[in-house]
C-alpha cells in the first residue's frame, strides 16, 4: 500500500564510516560551572513579577471575584481576572481553553487571576487577598467514568469550539476525540481462535518533573508587538499559537529559547506562554516574569500519560496473533489540544512491533477534571506497550510457551504490513536482532541463588516507536562560511540536554569534512532570525534537524563549487569537493582551498568571482498524510525505530521491595552520531521510565484535587534507587534512508518498553500478574500475599 | 517564595521571653525544615519568627547526673556523628541515618522534629522506647515531662505559649540496646511510611530482660504496645512467640486509610517484619527454632 | 529589612535583605550568582545546594538573615583561577551533564564529600548524593564521574 519513502540520497548517499567525535558536550563547561543561563536566571530593568491565583478545586463555577482588598497593596501594577481576557482562546487544535478561566474552573491549578507587581512578595500578598466565590461541581478523574452517561460534563458546548482540522468529538459528552483504526476483518476470528485473552491495563498520570520548573518573561512594545523568553521546546510553535490567540502577525512576535532545564515533552506545544502573554499585555513597555513554583509546575503546566488500555486478543495455539480488538481511554485532563495526537499515536502503535492482520482500534481522548495532559517522552507508546507487552507474556503463560517465541512469530519483518498499512522494509531496522540481543543478554546474566527473602526475575519487551507530527513539520538549518573558512551554523532544535547542538555540529563537520573546531553552532533560538523549526519533539531533532543540516551542507558545497568553477573558468560539473578542498575532476592537481573561495574569490584587481557562501537547509518528512477517517491508516509515520528492552530485578519477600539489577536496551539507531551522548540518552530514558514503572503516580481526591504535587509524595527515581543497577545499551545500525548518515530518532525510545519489562520480570519472579502501574513495593507485597505465597 | 514575616534572633533567654510574651503568634525557628515549608503556603498567618539559634542554652550533647542531655538545637547530623549515641542509644543513630538527606540533616534539629510532632516523625519511636523526657523552659522556669506526655497529638505538644523546648533527656542504663527500622517507598530520600523501634534492657539476662516496642506512622502519635512488650519481656523469644507478637502488633494498630504513603493493610503487615528485623539484629531471637 | 554581613566565595558583602528572603534568593537576586538553581523550594531536589560554613545545605530552606556573619560557597566559587575544577572536569569527561539544571547542586554535594574525605566509600558517595534529583541522566554518568575522581 503506502511504501515507506525512498532514499533521498544526500551527498550521494554518503554513509559516514566515522563521524568526527568531540571530546565533550558543547555546553558541558558552562553547565558544570553554573554559568549557563536559564530563563529563571534572566532579569531586566524594571521587570515586574507575575503571581497566579489558581483554582483549589477540580471543578467549580466561579460566582464572583473580589479584588478590592488586593488592590490596596502598594506596588501592584495590574490585577487581571478571566473577564479581562475573556476574548482570548488558546487554539492549538481545539479552541477549548482560555488563558484564565472565565466562568468555570475545570482542574485544580487552573489560573483564576493574576497579579503583576514590582516585587514578587507583594504580588503574592495581593494574590492571597483576592476573594473568589466558587460553586463546587461534581468532578470526574477517570476516563472510563467520564464516558458514562451520568458523568459530570466538562465542556457543555464542544460543538462551539473552533478547531484546526478534524477532531472527531461527540457533543454533549466528554469525548473530544476518537481515533479509529481498522485493518483486515475481525468477523469470526474470536470464535475460531484457540485462545482469546481479554485484559485491561492502566498507565496512570505522571508528572514530567523537569528539574527546571516552567518560566517565561514577556515584553509588549505595544498592543500588537511582543517578545518573550521562554522555557520552551517549541519557540516557533509558541509564536504560532500566540499569533493565533491575539490575531496578530507571527512576525510581530519574537520567542526566544536558550538552555532548557529538561523538557521531555512537557515544555512542547504551549504551557504558560499564553497566560503570560495575556496578562503582560496590560503593561506594555515592561518586562514581566512568570516562574512556576514546584507545586505549580505539577498542576499549572501539563501532566503526562494516563491511559487505560483494553485488549482482546485472538491467538492460535502456536502463539500467532490472529486478530485484536483494542480500546484506549485517554484521561486527557481538562483540555484536549496537547494530548489529541497522543491518542492517535497510541492508536497507531497499539499493535506493538507485531504484524497483526486483523485489528480494530478505538482510541478515545476524554476530558476529566485533571490538569491537561501533554506530550511526555514516548508519546503514547509506553502506555500501549505496557499493555501489549504484558499481554504477550500473559498469552505465553496461557499457552504454556516461551514468551520469546510468541514475540518472534509475530514480529514485524521485511514485507510485513504494519497497522497503518505501511510495508516494512529491511531498512526500517533489525527488530529481530534487537529482540535476540536482549534475550541473549537476559540468558547470560547469572542470578544469585534465591534465599528465603529474595527472589529474582527477568523480563523483556519488544518495542517500536514512530513520531507523530504535523505533515508540514519542518526543521531547518543555516550555514554560513566566514572569511577564515570557518562556519557559523544554526539549527532549529532547542538544547534541553539531549545534546542536539553537539550532534548537529558533528553532522555538519562530517558533511563538510571540516574539523569540528571550525564549526560554531548558535546555541539559543530566536524566532526572528533562527532557522524555522516546528517543535523540538518526537526524537526528531537529530533526524530531521540532521537532514536539514545536510541539505544546507549540500547547498553550501554547490555554492563553493560554483565559486571554484568561476575561478577555474569551467562548468560547475567539472569541480569536485573533498577534504575541505575544491579541485578539477580532470586535473586533481588543480586545487583551491575552501578558505580561498568561501567568501567569493577576489582577483588581484578586486574583481569578485562568485559569492560569499551561505545556505539555508530545510527538511520536511516526505509524503506524510493524515490518517484516513474510516480506516485510520495512511502514511502517518515517517520513520520507525525498533528495539527491545530487558530488566533483571529482585524482590524482598518480606516487604515487597524491588531492586533493579539490570536495565537493558537494544535499539536500531540507524547510525549512532555520538556514541557517548546516545548511550546516555538511553540510560536517562530507561531510568526515567523506571519511575513510571515503580513509583510515579499522580493521586487525586474525589473532587479532583491533586494530592501529591511535590517531590515528597511524587517519588521519582533517586540516585540510591539505581546505585546497584547495571545499564546496558546495544545499538544496531541499519541505515535509515531518510536519516542523516542513516541515523534515526532515539531520544525517547529508552522509555517505551521498560514498564512492561518490569511487569514481566515480576511475573517471572513471583508468578503474580500486575495490570496497573506503578508497581510499587506495597502493591507487590499485597499481590504476593493475596496469591497465598506468603503469610504475614 | 515565602510569605512575608518578621524575624528576630534573641541573644539571651530574657530577650527570648520578652519577645514571646509580647507576641502570642510568634513561631520558634530552629532548623526551619518544617516551619519554612509551611511559610510557603497561603494558609499560614505567622507574622513573626523567633530564631533561637543564637542562644547557647539549647546546644550540645552532654552527660549529666544519670542522663544524657541533648540540646533541642542538636542537629540530626550531630546525632548521627555522636559516638555515645551510636553506641548507647543506637535507635537514635538509626533514625538519624535514615532521616532526609545530608543537607537536611545539617539543618534539621531534634527539637524541631519533636515539636512538629508529625505521626511519622523519625525520632518519635526511638524516644518513646528510650523513655526520654522533654526539658521545657519558660519565663517561670524549667519543667521536665515524660515524652509520651509531652507528645500530645498530631502536631501538638505540651508547650505553653511562651515556653520552648530546651533539651531532651535520655535516661542512662548500664545494659541497654536498641534499634530503629523504617520502610519507605524509594531507596533514596523519603519519609518513613512506617517505623519501629525496639529496645531491650538487660538483654543478655533472659529472666530480667525488659523489651519495649514503639511504632511510628501508624497512629496519631508514636504508639507503644505494652501488651506485646510484656509478652516479649523475661522470656525466650522463639519463632512461635514471634508469630503471635506480629499478629498482636498488627491487630493493635488502625492506621488511617487516607495516607498517601501506604495503605493500612501494608502497614499492619510491615510492623511485624520491622520488629522481627530489629529483634534479630539485637540478638534477641532464639536461633534454630 | 535587615542588614547582614556575609562572605560569599571569599568576598565580603554587607547587604540589606527582607527577612523572608531565602539564602538562595539572596544569592541569585542580590548577588546575581545564578548558578545555584531552584528546582523545588522545598528542600526536596538539591539544585540549590551551597556550602554554608563549609557544610552543604539547601539554600532554599535557609533565610538570608540566618546567614549573617557566615561564609557561603556557591558553584561560582569552586573554579580555580584558571576556570577549572577537578569535579567539573570529571563531570565533563564522563558526560554527567545533560540539561544541566541539577548539575551545580550535584557538583556542590561532591565538593562537600571530598572536603570530608579524600577516599569516600560507596556508602559515602550514596550518602552525598542522597536527596539530589536528576531527571535526565539516570545518575549512571554521575556515579562514574565521582568514581573517576576518587581513584
Ligand atoms: C527534604 C526534607 C526531608 C525530610 N525528611 C525527614 C525525615 O526523613 N524524617 C523526619 O522525621 N522528618 C523529615 N523532615 C522534616 C523535618 O526536617 C524534621 O521534622 C526536622 O527535625 C524539623 O526540625 P527543624 O529544626 O528544621 O524544625 P523547624 O522547622 O525549625 O521547626 C519545626 C516546628 O517546631 C517548632 N520548634 C522547633 N524547635 C523548637 C524549640 N526548641 N522549642 C519550641 N518549638 C520549637 C517550630 O516553631 C515549628 O513549629 C524532612 C524535611 C524536609 C524538608
Ligand atoms: S530548590 Fe532547594 S532543594 Fe530544591
Ligand atoms: S541533567 Fe537535567 S536534571 Fe540532571
Amino acid at each position: 500500500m503506502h511504501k515507506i519513502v525512498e532514499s533521498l540520497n544526500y551527498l550521494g548517499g554518503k554513509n559516514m564510516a566515522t563521524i568526527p567525535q568531540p571530546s565533550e558536550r558543547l555546553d558541558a563547561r558552562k553547565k558544570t560551572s553554573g554559568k549557563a543561563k536559564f530563563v529563571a536566571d534572566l532579569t531586566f530593568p524594571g521587570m515586574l513579577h507575575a503571581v497566579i491565583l489558581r483554582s483549589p478545586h477540580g471543578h467549580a463555577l466561579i460566582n464572583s471575584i473580589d479584588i478590592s482588598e488586593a488592590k490596596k497593596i502598594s506596588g501592584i501594577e495590574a490585577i487581571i481576572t478571566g473577564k479581562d481576557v475573556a476574548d482570548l482562546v488558546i487554539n492549538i487544535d481545539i479552541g477549548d481553553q482560555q488563558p484564565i478561566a472565565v466562568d468555570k474552573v475545570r482542574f485544580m491549578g487552573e489560573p483564576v487571576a493574576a497579579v503583576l507587581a514590582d516585587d514578587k512578595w507583594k504580588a503574592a500578598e495581593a494574590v492571597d487577598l483576592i476573594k473568589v466565590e466558587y460553586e463546587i461541581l461534581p468532578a470526574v478523574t477517570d476516563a472510563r467514568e467520564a464516558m458514562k452517561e451520568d458523568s459530570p460534563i466538562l465542556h457543555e458546548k464542544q460543538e462551539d469550539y473552533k478547531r484546526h482540522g478534524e477532531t472527531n468529538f461527540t457533543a454533549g459528552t466528554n469525548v473530544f476525540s476518537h481515533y479509529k483504526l481498522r485493518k483486515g476483518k475481525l468477523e469470526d476470528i474470536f470464535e475460531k481462535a484457540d485462545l482469546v485473552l481479554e485484559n485491561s491495563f492502566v498507565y496512570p498520570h505522571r508528572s514530567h518533573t523537569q528539574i527546571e520548573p516552567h518560566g517565561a518573561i514577556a515584553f509588549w512594545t505595544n498592543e500588537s508587538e511582543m517578545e518573550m523568553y521562554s522555557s520552551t521546546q517549541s519557540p516557533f510553535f509558541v509564536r504560532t499559537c500566540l499569533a493565533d490567540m491575539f490575531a496578530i502577525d507571527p512576525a510581530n512576535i519574537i520567542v526566544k529559547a536558550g538552555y532548557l532545564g529538561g523538557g521531555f515533552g512537557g515544555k512542547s506545544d504551549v504551557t504558560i506562554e499564553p497566560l503570560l502573554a495575556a496578562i503582560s499585555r496590560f503593561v506594555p513597555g515592561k518586562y514581566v516574569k512568570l516562574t512556576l513554583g514546584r507545586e505549580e509546575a505539577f498542576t499549572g503546566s501539563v501532566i503526562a500519560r494516563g491511559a487505560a488500555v483494553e485488549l482482546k486478543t485472538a491467538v492460535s495455539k502456536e502463539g500467532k496473533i490472529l486478530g485484536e480488538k483494542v480500546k484506549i481511554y485517554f484521561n486527557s485532563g481538562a483540555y484536549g489540544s496537547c494530548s489529541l495526537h497522543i491518542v492517535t499515536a497510541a492508536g497507531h502503535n497499539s499493535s506493538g512491533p507485531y504484524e497483526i492482520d486483523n485489528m480494530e482500534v478505538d482510541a478515545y481522548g476524554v476530558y476529566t477534571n485533571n490538569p491537561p495532559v501533554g506530550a511526555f517522552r514516548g508519546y503514547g507508546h509506553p502506555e500501549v506497550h505496557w499493555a501489549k507487552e504484558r499481554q504477550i507474556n500473559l498469552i505465553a503463560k496461557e499457552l504454556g510457551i516461551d514468551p520469546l517465541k510468541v514475540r518472534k512469530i509475530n514480529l514485524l519483518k521485511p514485507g510485513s504490513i504494519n497497522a497503518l498499512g505501511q510495508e516494512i522494509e529491511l531498512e526500517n531496522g533489525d527488530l529481530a536482532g534487537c529482540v535476540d540481543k536482549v534475550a541473549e543478554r537476559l540468558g547470560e546474566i547469572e542470578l544469585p541463588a534465591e534465599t528465603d527473602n529474595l527472589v529474582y526475575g527477568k523480563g523483556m519487551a519488544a518495542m517500536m516507536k514512530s513520531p507523530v507530527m504535523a505533515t508540514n513539520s519542518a526543521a531547518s538549518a543555516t550555514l554560513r562560511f566566514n572569511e577564515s573558512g570557518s562556519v557559523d551554523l544554526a539549527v532549529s532544535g532547542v538544547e534541553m540536554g539531549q545534546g542536539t547542538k553537539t550532534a548537529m555540529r558533528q553532522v555538519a563537520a562530517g558533511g563538510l569534512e571540516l574539523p569540528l573546531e571550525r564549526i560554531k553552532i548558535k546555541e539559543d533560538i530566536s524566532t526572528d532570525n533562527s532557522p524555522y523549526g516546528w517543535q523540538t519533539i518526537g526524537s526528531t531533532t537529530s533526524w530531521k534537524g540532521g537532514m536539514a543540516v545536510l541539505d544546507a551542507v549540500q547547498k553550501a558545497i554547490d555554492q563553493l563549487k560554483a565559486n571554484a568553477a568561476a575561478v577555474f573558468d569551467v562548468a560547475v560539473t567539472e569541480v569536485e569537493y573533498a577534504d575541505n578542498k575544491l579541485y578539477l575532476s580532470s586535473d586533481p592537481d588543480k586545487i583551491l582551498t575552501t578558505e580561498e573561495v568561501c567568501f567569493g574569490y577576489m582577483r588581484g584587481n578586486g574583481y569578485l568571482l562568485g559569492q560569499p557562501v551561505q545556505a539555508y537547509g530545510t527538511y520536511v518528512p516526505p509524503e506524510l498524510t493524515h490518517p484516513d477517517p474510516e480506516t485510520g491508516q495512511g502514511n502517518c509515520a515517517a520513520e520507525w525505530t525498533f528495539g527491545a528492552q530487558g530488566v533483571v530485578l529482585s524482590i524482598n519477600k518480606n516487604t515487597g521491595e524491588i531492586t533493579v539489577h539490570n536495565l537493558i536496551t537494544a535499539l536500531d539507531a540507524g547510525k549512532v552520531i555520538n556514541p557517548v551522548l546516545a548511550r546516555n540518552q538511553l540510560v536517562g530514558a530507561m531510568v526515567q521510565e523506571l519511575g513510571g514503572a515503580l513509583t510515579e503516580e499522580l493521586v487525586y481526591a474525589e473532587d479532583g484535587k491533586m494530592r501529591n504535587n511535590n517531590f515528597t509524595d511524587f517519588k521519582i527515581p533517586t540516585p540510591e534507587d539505581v546505585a546497584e543497577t547495571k545499564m546496558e545499551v546495544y545499538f544496531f545500525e541499519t541505515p535509515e534512508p531518510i536519516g542523516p548518515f542513516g541515523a534515526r530518532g532515539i531520544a525517547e525510545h529508552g522509555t517505551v518498553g521498560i514498564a512492561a519489562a518490569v511487569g514481566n520480570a515480576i511475573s517471572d519472579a513471583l508468578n503474580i500478574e500486575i495490570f496497573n502501574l506503578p508497581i510499587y513495593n506495597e502493591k507487590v507485597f499485597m499481590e504476593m500475599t493475596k496469591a497465598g505465597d506468603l503469610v504475614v | 517564595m515565602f510569605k512575608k514575616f518578621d524575624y528576630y534572633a534573641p541573644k539571651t533567654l530574657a530577650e527570648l521571653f520578652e519577645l514571646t510574651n509580647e507576641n502570642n503568634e510568634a513561631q520558634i525557628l530552629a532548623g526551619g525544615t518544617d516551619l519554612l515549608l509551611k511559610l510557603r503556603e497561603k494558609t499560614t498567618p505567622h507574622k513573626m519568627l523567633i530564631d533561637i539559634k543564637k542562644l547557647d542554652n539549647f546546644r550540645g550533647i552532654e552527660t549529666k547526673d544519670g542522663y544524657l542531655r541533648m540540646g533541642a538545637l542538636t542537629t540530626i547530623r550531630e546525632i548521627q556523628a555522636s559516638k555515645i549515641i551510636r553506641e548507647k542509644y543506637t535507635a537514635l543513630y538509626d533514625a538519624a541515618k535514615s532521616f532526609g538527606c545530608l543537607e537536611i540533616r545539617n539543618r534539621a534539629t531534634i527539637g524541631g522534629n519533636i515539636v512538629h510532632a508529625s505521626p511519622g516523625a523519625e525520632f518519635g519511636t526511638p524516644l518513646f522506647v528510650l523513655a526520654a523526657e522533654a526539658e521545657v523552659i519558660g519565663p517561670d522556669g524549667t519543667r521536665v515531662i515524660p515524652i509520651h506526655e509531652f507528645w500530645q497529638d498530631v502536631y501538638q505538644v505540651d508547650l505553653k505559649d511562651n515556653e520552648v523546648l530546651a533539651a531532651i533527656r535520655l535516661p542512662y542504663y548500664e545494659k541497654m540496646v536498641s534499634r530503629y527500622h523504617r520502610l519507605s517507598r524509594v531507596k533514596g530520600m523519603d519519609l518513613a511510611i512506617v517505623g519501629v523501634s525496639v529496645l531491650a534492657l538487660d538483654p543478655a539476662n533472659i529472666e530480667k530482660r525488659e523489651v519495649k516496642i514503639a511504632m511510628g506512622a501508624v497512629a496519631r502519635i508514636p504508639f507503644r504496645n505494652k501488651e506485646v512488650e510484656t509478652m516479649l519481656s523475661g522470656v525466650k523469644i522463639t519463632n512461635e512467640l514471634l508469630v503471635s507478637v506480629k499478629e498482636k502488633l498488627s491487630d493493635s494498630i488502625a492506621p488511617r486509610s487516607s495516607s498517601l504513603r501506604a495503605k493500612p493493610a501494608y502497614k499492619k503487615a510491615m510492623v511485624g517484619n520491622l520488629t522481627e528485623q530489629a529483634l534479630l539484629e539485637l540478638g534477641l531471637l532464639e536461633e534454630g527454632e | 529589612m535587615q542588614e547582614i554581613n556575609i562572605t560569599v566565595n571569599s568576598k565580603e558583602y554587607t547587604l540589606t535583605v527582607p527577612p523572608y528572603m531565602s539564602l538562595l534568593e539572596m544569592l541569585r537576586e542580590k548577588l546575581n550568582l545564578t548558578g545555584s538553581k531552584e528546582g523545588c523550594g522545598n528542600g526536596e531536589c538539591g539544585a540549590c545546594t551551597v556550602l554554608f560554613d563549609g557544610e552543604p545545605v539547601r539554600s532554599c530552606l535557609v533565610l538570608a538573615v540566618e546567614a549573617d556573619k557566615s561564609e557561603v560557597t556557591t558553584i561560582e566559587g569552586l573554579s580555580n583561577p584558571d576556570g577549572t575544577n577537578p569535579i567539573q572536569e570529571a563531570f565533563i569527561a564522563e558526560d554527567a551533564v545533560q540539561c544541566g539544571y541539577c548539575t551545580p547542586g550535584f557538583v556542590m554535594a561532591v565538593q562537600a564529600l571530598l572536603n570530608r574525605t579524600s577516599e569516600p566509600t560507596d556508602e559515602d558517595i550514596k550518602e552525598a548524593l542522597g536527596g539530589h534529583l536528576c531527571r535526565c541522566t539516570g545518575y549512571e554518568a554521575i556515579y562514574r564521574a565521582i568514581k573517576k575522581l576518587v581513584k
Side-chain angles (χ1 to χ4, degrees), chain A residues 25 41 120 679 712 717 719, chain C residues 25 37 44 95 139-140 143:
Chain A
R25 198 180 271 265
D41 302 335
K120 60 183 179 178
R679 181 178 195 283
T712 297
Chain C
E25 287 166 328
K37 305 294 178 197
E44 302 164 320
D95 196 44
Y139 307 109
E140 188 202 33
Y143 277 117

Side-chain angles (χ1 to χ4, degrees), chain A residues 64 81 361 369 466 555 672:
Chain A
S64 67
T81 67
V361 182
N369 294 111
S466 65
K555 287 171 179 161
V672 178

Side-chain angles (χ1 to χ4, degrees), chain A residues 13-237:
Chain A
K14 178 157 83 177
N15 185 2
M16 293 292 293
T18 49
I19 297 172
Q21 295 299 324
S23 60
E24 61 190 58
R25 198 180 271 265
L26 205 61
D27 45 9
R29 239 154 244 284
K30 271 195 201 156
K31 286 177 174 175
T32 48
S33 59
K35 309 251 163 61
K37 289 273 182 194
F38 297 82
V39 174
D41 302 335
L42 305 176
T43 48
F44 294 92
M47 188 170 80
L48 303 182
H49 296 269
V51 175
I52 309 300
L53 176 67
R54 296 178 182 276
S55 165
H57 305 295
H59 201 187
L61 296 176
I62 301 173
N63 282 345
S64 67
I65 302 183
D66 176 2
I67 60 168
S68 55
E69 285 301 309
K71 266 165 109 174
K72 293 181 188 156
I73 305 277
S74 74
I76 302 297
E77 297 264 341
I79 301 180
I80 300 120
T81 67
K83 295 245 176 335
D84 301 320
V85 289
D87 56 322
L88 300 179
V89 174
I90 307 169
N91 186 0
I92 299 172
D93 281 295
I94 309 167
D96 58 0
Q97 188 175 9
Q98 299 195 263
I100 303 183
V102 182
D103 301 315
K104 161 161 156 165
V105 289
R106 297 184 176 86
F107 68 94
M108 166 183 149
E110 181 156 16
V112 173
V115 177
L116 311 182
D118 56 6
D119 161 316
K120 60 183 179 178
W121 288 283
K122 286 183 196 161
E125 208 175 351
V127 160
D128 284 355
L129 291 173
I130 298 176
K131 293 190 202 74
V132 186
E133 228 177 84
Y134 294 100
E135 180 181 331
I136 299 191
L137 301 172
V140 59
T141 61
D142 177 272
R144 282 179 286 194
E145 290 298 319
M147 282 176 74
K148 292 191 178 151
E149 260 186 31
D150 56 351
S151 164
I153 300 295
L154 275 86
H155 297 265
E156 296 80 3
K157 291 224 163 278
Q158 282 203 63
E159 60 277 21
D160 290 353
Y161 292 145
K162 288 207 181 108
R163 279 153 212 275
H164 294 310
E166 286 294 316
T167 55
N168 206 3
F169 63 94
T170 313
T173 75
N174 287 319
V175 175
F176 68 86
S177 130
H178 175 193
Y179 168 75
K180 220 161 66 169
L181 187 144
R182 299 289 181 268
K183 180 189 178 198
K185 279 210 175 66
L186 282 178
E187 274 182 347
D188 53 353
I189 279 176
F190 291 111
E191 283 84 73
K192 286 200 197 140
D194 296 318
L195 170 71
V196 176
L197 197 63
E198 265 190 275
N199 283 308
S200 162
F201 303 85
V202 174
Y203 196 134
H205 282 155
R206 296 168 61 189
S207 171
H208 308 74
T209 66
Q210 311 90 342
I211 304 300
E212 174 200 37
H214 301 66
I217 299 169
F219 179 90
W220 286 87
T221 314
N222 56 49
E223 274 249 295
S224 53
E225 258 180 75
M226 78 163 313
E227 102 188 32
M228 180 184 272
Y229 295 77
S230 179
S231 64
T232 177
Q233 297 172 234
S234 311
F236 286 94
F237 193 81

Side-chain angles (χ1 to χ4, degrees), chain B residues 27-35 37-38 52 72 76 98-100 104 107-109 111-113 115-116 120-122 159 164-165 182 189-191, chain C residues 42-44 61:
Chain B
Q27 287 275 312
I28 301 294
L29 173 70
T33 58
D34 276 321
L35 184 59
L37 295 195
K38 276 201 278 174
I52 54 172
I76 313 307
S98 43
F99 189 108
I104 295 290
R107 296 291 293 172
T109 66
N113 197 246
V115 178
H116 185 61
E122 219 70 62
L159 275 183
V164 297
L165 178 67
R182 57 119 111 176
M189 180 164 79
D190 195 2
L191 297 175
Chain C
N42 273 330
E44 302 164 320
L61 287 188

